[in-house]
mmCIF file of all heavy atoms in Angstrom:
data_model
loop_
_atom_site.group_PDB
_atom_site.id
_atom_site.type_symbol
_atom_site.label_atom_id
_atom_site.label_comp_id
_atom_site.label_asym_id
_atom_site.label_seq_id
_atom_site.Cartn_x
_atom_site.Cartn_y
_atom_site.Cartn_z
ATOM 1 N N ARG A 1476 19.780 -3.759 13.480
ATOM 2 C CA ARG A 1476 20.870 -4.588 13.884
ATOM 3 C C ARG A 1476 21.777 -3.810 14.815
ATOM 4 O O ARG A 1476 21.774 -2.598 14.932
ATOM 5 C CB ARG A 1476 21.783 -4.986 12.604
ATOM 6 C CG ARG A 1476 21.032 -5.555 11.490
ATOM 7 C CD ARG A 1476 22.146 -6.014 10.409
ATOM 8 N NE ARG A 1476 21.503 -6.357 9.185
ATOM 9 C CZ ARG A 1476 21.763 -5.699 7.985
ATOM 10 N NH1 ARG A 1476 22.536 -4.764 7.980
ATOM 11 N NH2 ARG A 1476 21.088 -6.144 6.932
ATOM 12 N N GLY A 1477 22.634 -4.546 15.597
ATOM 13 C CA GLY A 1477 23.673 -4.069 16.354
ATOM 14 C C GLY A 1477 23.254 -2.959 17.344
ATOM 15 O O GLY A 1477 22.350 -3.105 18.178
ATOM 16 N N THR A 1478 23.862 -1.741 17.306
ATOM 17 C CA THR A 1478 23.552 -0.670 18.106
ATOM 18 C C THR A 1478 22.120 -0.218 18.031
ATOM 19 O O THR A 1478 21.578 0.195 19.067
ATOM 20 C CB THR A 1478 24.526 0.570 17.801
ATOM 21 O OG1 THR A 1478 25.875 0.079 17.861
ATOM 22 C CG2 THR A 1478 24.380 1.639 18.796
ATOM 23 N N ALA A 1479 21.529 -0.240 16.881
ATOM 24 C CA ALA A 1479 20.135 0.141 16.652
ATOM 25 C C ALA A 1479 19.214 -0.783 17.524
ATOM 26 O O ALA A 1479 18.241 -0.362 18.034
ATOM 27 C CB ALA A 1479 19.719 0.083 15.206
ATOM 28 N N ARG A 1480 19.551 -2.039 17.571
ATOM 29 C CA ARG A 1480 18.764 -3.019 18.444
ATOM 30 C C ARG A 1480 18.798 -2.527 19.881
ATOM 31 O O ARG A 1480 17.803 -2.668 20.601
ATOM 32 C CB ARG A 1480 19.272 -4.382 18.281
ATOM 33 C CG ARG A 1480 18.332 -5.460 18.985
ATOM 34 C CD ARG A 1480 18.980 -6.886 18.920
ATOM 35 N NE ARG A 1480 18.186 -7.860 19.655
ATOM 36 C CZ ARG A 1480 18.178 -7.934 20.920
ATOM 37 N NH1 ARG A 1480 18.875 -7.176 21.732
ATOM 38 N NH2 ARG A 1480 17.413 -8.839 21.479
ATOM 39 N N ASP A 1481 19.958 -2.057 20.285
ATOM 40 C CA ASP A 1481 20.051 -1.546 21.678
ATOM 41 C C ASP A 1481 19.155 -0.457 21.903
ATOM 42 O O ASP A 1481 18.523 -0.193 22.933
ATOM 43 C CB ASP A 1481 21.494 -1.197 22.003
ATOM 44 C CG ASP A 1481 22.419 -2.361 21.967
ATOM 45 O OD1 ASP A 1481 21.939 -3.449 22.099
ATOM 46 O OD2 ASP A 1481 23.631 -2.135 21.784
ATOM 47 N N VAL A 1482 19.050 0.499 20.918
ATOM 48 C CA VAL A 1482 18.086 1.676 21.011
ATOM 49 C C VAL A 1482 16.665 1.174 21.130
ATOM 50 O O VAL A 1482 15.931 1.594 21.968
ATOM 51 C CB VAL A 1482 18.286 2.665 19.804
ATOM 52 C CG1 VAL A 1482 17.175 3.671 19.828
ATOM 53 C CG2 VAL A 1482 19.653 3.202 19.670
ATOM 54 N N ALA A 1483 16.301 0.175 20.244
ATOM 55 C CA ALA A 1483 14.909 -0.303 20.291
ATOM 56 C C ALA A 1483 14.680 -0.971 21.653
ATOM 57 O O ALA A 1483 13.555 -0.839 22.095
ATOM 58 C CB ALA A 1483 14.816 -1.425 19.168
ATOM 59 N N GLU A 1484 15.622 -1.682 22.255
ATOM 60 C CA GLU A 1484 15.401 -2.234 23.576
ATOM 61 C C GLU A 1484 15.198 -1.101 24.551
ATOM 62 O O GLU A 1484 14.256 -1.271 25.421
ATOM 63 C CB GLU A 1484 16.626 -3.108 23.910
ATOM 64 C CG GLU A 1484 16.538 -3.815 25.268
ATOM 65 C CD GLU A 1484 17.671 -4.818 25.489
ATOM 66 O OE1 GLU A 1484 18.728 -4.574 24.851
ATOM 67 O OE2 GLU A 1484 17.457 -5.627 26.334
ATOM 68 N N ARG A 1485 15.930 -0.026 24.537
ATOM 69 C CA ARG A 1485 15.795 1.030 25.490
ATOM 70 C C ARG A 1485 14.476 1.757 25.321
ATOM 71 O O ARG A 1485 13.910 2.399 26.323
ATOM 72 C CB ARG A 1485 16.926 2.071 25.461
ATOM 73 C CG ARG A 1485 18.313 1.455 25.766
ATOM 74 C CD ARG A 1485 19.416 2.424 25.895
ATOM 75 N NE ARG A 1485 20.673 1.727 26.057
ATOM 76 C CZ ARG A 1485 21.818 2.349 26.329
ATOM 77 N NH1 ARG A 1485 21.832 3.702 26.426
ATOM 78 N NH2 ARG A 1485 22.879 1.683 26.457
ATOM 79 N N MET A 1486 13.840 1.621 24.142
ATOM 80 C CA MET A 1486 12.533 2.208 23.826
ATOM 81 C C MET A 1486 11.434 1.384 24.292
ATOM 82 O O MET A 1486 10.217 1.750 24.231
ATOM 83 C CB MET A 1486 12.437 2.632 22.388
ATOM 84 C CG MET A 1486 13.330 3.620 21.861
ATOM 85 S SD MET A 1486 13.355 3.850 20.096
ATOM 86 C CE MET A 1486 12.066 5.177 20.097
ATOM 87 N N GLY A 1487 11.755 0.087 24.692
ATOM 88 C CA GLY A 1487 10.685 -0.836 25.022
ATOM 89 C C GLY A 1487 10.018 -1.471 23.938
ATOM 90 O O GLY A 1487 8.832 -2.095 24.093
ATOM 91 N N LEU A 1488 10.680 -1.469 22.694
ATOM 92 C CA LEU A 1488 9.896 -1.911 21.508
ATOM 93 C C LEU A 1488 10.233 -3.405 21.156
ATOM 94 O O LEU A 1488 9.554 -3.969 20.257
ATOM 95 C CB LEU A 1488 10.352 -1.050 20.287
ATOM 96 C CG LEU A 1488 9.713 0.321 20.232
ATOM 97 C CD1 LEU A 1488 10.398 1.080 18.985
ATOM 98 C CD2 LEU A 1488 8.264 0.330 20.079
ATOM 99 N N LEU A 1489 11.210 -4.067 21.855
ATOM 100 C CA LEU A 1489 11.639 -5.354 21.397
ATOM 101 C C LEU A 1489 10.482 -6.392 21.363
ATOM 102 O O LEU A 1489 10.397 -7.204 20.430
ATOM 103 C CB LEU A 1489 12.810 -5.817 22.220
ATOM 104 C CG LEU A 1489 14.204 -5.248 21.952
ATOM 105 C CD1 LEU A 1489 15.298 -6.015 22.693
ATOM 106 C CD2 LEU A 1489 14.424 -5.248 20.405
ATOM 107 N N PRO A 1490 9.639 -6.434 22.331
ATOM 108 C CA PRO A 1490 8.635 -7.494 22.347
ATOM 109 C C PRO A 1490 7.696 -7.297 21.120
ATOM 110 O O PRO A 1490 7.338 -8.285 20.483
ATOM 111 C CB PRO A 1490 7.822 -7.241 23.635
ATOM 112 C CG PRO A 1490 8.783 -6.648 24.591
ATOM 113 C CD PRO A 1490 9.668 -5.731 23.691
ATOM 114 N N ARG A 1491 7.335 -6.057 20.755
ATOM 115 C CA ARG A 1491 6.426 -5.865 19.636
ATOM 116 C C ARG A 1491 7.221 -6.124 18.271
ATOM 117 O O ARG A 1491 6.682 -6.753 17.363
ATOM 118 C CB ARG A 1491 5.892 -4.479 19.665
ATOM 119 C CG ARG A 1491 4.854 -4.276 18.464
ATOM 120 C CD ARG A 1491 4.207 -2.891 18.696
ATOM 121 N NE ARG A 1491 3.361 -2.622 17.434
ATOM 122 C CZ ARG A 1491 2.734 -1.406 17.312
ATOM 123 N NH1 ARG A 1491 2.784 -0.524 18.273
ATOM 124 N NH2 ARG A 1491 2.069 -1.198 16.266
ATOM 125 N N LEU A 1492 8.402 -5.761 18.238
ATOM 126 C CA LEU A 1492 9.132 -5.959 17.022
ATOM 127 C C LEU A 1492 9.495 -7.374 16.768
ATOM 128 O O LEU A 1492 9.508 -7.861 15.677
ATOM 129 C CB LEU A 1492 10.534 -5.147 17.096
ATOM 130 C CG LEU A 1492 10.381 -3.622 17.058
ATOM 131 C CD1 LEU A 1492 11.742 -2.989 17.232
ATOM 132 C CD2 LEU A 1492 9.722 -3.190 15.693
ATOM 133 N N ARG A 1493 9.663 -8.155 17.855
ATOM 134 C CA ARG A 1493 9.828 -9.597 17.674
ATOM 135 C C ARG A 1493 8.542 -10.304 17.012
ATOM 136 O O ARG A 1493 8.654 -11.154 16.234
ATOM 137 C CB ARG A 1493 10.221 -10.226 19.043
ATOM 138 C CG ARG A 1493 11.544 -9.993 19.576
ATOM 139 C CD ARG A 1493 11.878 -10.951 20.633
ATOM 140 N NE ARG A 1493 13.201 -10.540 21.283
ATOM 141 C CZ ARG A 1493 13.289 -9.887 22.404
ATOM 142 N NH1 ARG A 1493 12.230 -9.557 23.092
ATOM 143 N NH2 ARG A 1493 14.488 -9.645 22.946
ATOM 144 N N ARG A 1494 7.422 -9.778 17.492
ATOM 145 C CA ARG A 1494 6.195 -10.362 16.910
ATOM 146 C C ARG A 1494 5.973 -10.011 15.451
ATOM 147 O O ARG A 1494 5.409 -10.704 14.609
ATOM 148 C CB ARG A 1494 4.989 -9.841 17.736
ATOM 149 C CG ARG A 1494 4.802 -10.342 19.052
ATOM 150 C CD ARG A 1494 3.536 -10.070 19.736
ATOM 151 N NE ARG A 1494 3.241 -8.676 19.829
ATOM 152 C CZ ARG A 1494 3.559 -7.939 20.882
ATOM 153 N NH1 ARG A 1494 4.183 -8.474 21.946
ATOM 154 N NH2 ARG A 1494 3.258 -6.589 20.963
ATOM 155 N N LEU A 1495 6.621 -8.814 15.039
ATOM 156 C CA LEU A 1495 6.511 -8.324 13.633
ATOM 157 C C LEU A 1495 7.702 -8.863 12.785
ATOM 158 O O LEU A 1495 7.672 -8.575 11.565
ATOM 159 C CB LEU A 1495 6.486 -6.817 13.609
ATOM 160 C CG LEU A 1495 5.273 -6.136 14.283
ATOM 161 C CD1 LEU A 1495 5.528 -4.584 14.523
ATOM 162 C CD2 LEU A 1495 3.985 -6.386 13.440
ATOM 163 N N HIS A 1496 8.613 -9.504 13.334
ATOM 164 C CA HIS A 1496 9.763 -10.037 12.614
ATOM 165 C C HIS A 1496 9.427 -10.875 11.467
ATOM 166 O O HIS A 1496 8.650 -11.879 11.681
ATOM 167 C CB HIS A 1496 10.682 -10.834 13.655
ATOM 168 C CG HIS A 1496 11.937 -11.341 12.989
ATOM 169 N ND1 HIS A 1496 12.916 -10.526 12.470
ATOM 170 C CD2 HIS A 1496 12.456 -12.662 13.091
ATOM 171 C CE1 HIS A 1496 13.885 -11.323 12.096
ATOM 172 N NE2 HIS A 1496 13.651 -12.605 12.405
ATOM 173 N N VAL A 1497 9.869 -10.580 10.240
ATOM 174 C CA VAL A 1497 9.487 -11.318 9.021
ATOM 175 C C VAL A 1497 10.380 -12.527 8.796
ATOM 176 O O VAL A 1497 10.080 -13.405 7.984
ATOM 177 C CB VAL A 1497 9.384 -10.413 7.836
ATOM 178 C CG1 VAL A 1497 8.328 -9.300 8.088
ATOM 179 C CG2 VAL A 1497 10.641 -9.787 7.535
ATOM 180 N N ASP A 1498 11.576 -12.508 9.262
ATOM 181 C CA ASP A 1498 12.422 -13.660 9.294
ATOM 182 C C ASP A 1498 12.690 -14.212 7.857
ATOM 183 O O ASP A 1498 12.311 -15.309 7.535
ATOM 184 C CB ASP A 1498 11.823 -14.743 10.188
ATOM 185 C CG ASP A 1498 12.858 -15.888 10.350
ATOM 186 O OD1 ASP A 1498 14.112 -15.691 10.218
ATOM 187 O OD2 ASP A 1498 12.386 -17.071 10.623
ATOM 188 N N THR A 1499 13.360 -13.390 7.061
ATOM 189 C CA THR A 1499 13.831 -13.826 5.714
ATOM 190 C C THR A 1499 14.888 -14.981 5.960
ATOM 191 O O THR A 1499 15.864 -14.816 6.639
ATOM 192 C CB THR A 1499 14.388 -12.701 4.902
ATOM 193 O OG1 THR A 1499 13.381 -11.785 4.677
ATOM 194 C CG2 THR A 1499 14.978 -13.283 3.565
ATOM 195 N N ARG A 1500 14.637 -16.158 5.487
ATOM 196 C CA ARG A 1500 15.424 -17.296 5.692
ATOM 197 C C ARG A 1500 16.467 -17.730 4.626
ATOM 198 O O ARG A 1500 17.378 -18.468 4.925
ATOM 199 C CB ARG A 1500 14.551 -18.531 5.991
ATOM 200 C CG ARG A 1500 13.672 -18.234 7.237
ATOM 201 C CD ARG A 1500 12.609 -19.333 7.437
ATOM 202 N NE ARG A 1500 11.769 -19.036 8.577
ATOM 203 C CZ ARG A 1500 10.663 -19.780 8.903
ATOM 204 N NH1 ARG A 1500 10.309 -20.875 8.127
ATOM 205 N NH2 ARG A 1500 9.868 -19.370 9.843
ATOM 206 N N ARG A 1501 16.242 -17.137 3.413
ATOM 207 C CA ARG A 1501 17.074 -17.604 2.392
ATOM 208 C C ARG A 1501 17.054 -16.509 1.232
ATOM 209 O O ARG A 1501 16.027 -16.005 0.870
ATOM 210 C CB ARG A 1501 16.518 -18.944 1.811
ATOM 211 C CG ARG A 1501 17.381 -19.583 0.611
ATOM 212 C CD ARG A 1501 16.690 -20.851 0.155
ATOM 213 N NE ARG A 1501 17.347 -21.395 -0.987
ATOM 214 C CZ ARG A 1501 18.337 -22.404 -0.798
ATOM 215 N NH1 ARG A 1501 18.799 -22.693 0.395
ATOM 216 N NH2 ARG A 1501 18.929 -22.904 -1.870
ATOM 217 N N ILE A 1502 18.258 -16.355 0.723
ATOM 218 C CA ILE A 1502 18.460 -15.498 -0.464
ATOM 219 C C ILE A 1502 19.066 -16.393 -1.532
ATOM 220 O O ILE A 1502 20.189 -17.001 -1.315
ATOM 221 C CB ILE A 1502 19.323 -14.315 -0.272
ATOM 222 C CG1 ILE A 1502 18.756 -13.396 0.810
ATOM 223 C CG2 ILE A 1502 19.494 -13.508 -1.569
ATOM 224 C CD1 ILE A 1502 17.466 -12.748 0.538
ATOM 225 N N THR A 1503 18.399 -16.567 -2.656
ATOM 226 C CA THR A 1503 18.919 -17.448 -3.786
ATOM 227 C C THR A 1503 19.515 -16.516 -4.885
ATOM 228 O O THR A 1503 18.878 -15.652 -5.417
ATOM 229 C CB THR A 1503 17.823 -18.329 -4.345
ATOM 230 O OG1 THR A 1503 17.235 -19.131 -3.275
ATOM 231 C CG2 THR A 1503 18.320 -19.143 -5.461
ATOM 232 N N PHE A 1504 20.777 -16.828 -5.221
ATOM 233 C CA PHE A 1504 21.405 -16.078 -6.241
ATOM 234 C C PHE A 1504 21.346 -16.813 -7.556
ATOM 235 O O PHE A 1504 21.665 -17.990 -7.664
ATOM 236 C CB PHE A 1504 22.952 -15.864 -5.879
ATOM 237 C CG PHE A 1504 23.140 -14.968 -4.700
ATOM 238 C CD1 PHE A 1504 23.041 -15.433 -3.377
ATOM 239 C CD2 PHE A 1504 23.419 -13.640 -4.855
ATOM 240 C CE1 PHE A 1504 23.138 -14.626 -2.245
ATOM 241 C CE2 PHE A 1504 23.592 -12.820 -3.757
ATOM 242 C CZ PHE A 1504 23.536 -13.283 -2.457
#
């Protein structure tokens, strides 16, 4: 998140990380 995402972008990793994104959509309490 946040600043770390900027680091990942500068490393050129965003396209691959987007493909690996697991996208948790809901937390039930």
Side-chain angles (χ1 to χ4, degrees):
R1476 308 184 193 120
T1478 305
R1480 186 188 180 280
D1481 296 338
V1482 174
E1484 184 174 20
R1485 295 188 188 189
M1486 298 176 86
L1488 287 176
L1489 283 190
R1491 184 173 174 184
L1492 291 175
R1493 287 193 187 103
R1494 293 194 297 271
L1495 294 168
H1496 181 54
V1497 299
D1498 191 21
T1499 298
R1500 299 172 183 174
R1501 182 181 178 88
I1502 303 294
T1503 299
F1504 292 82

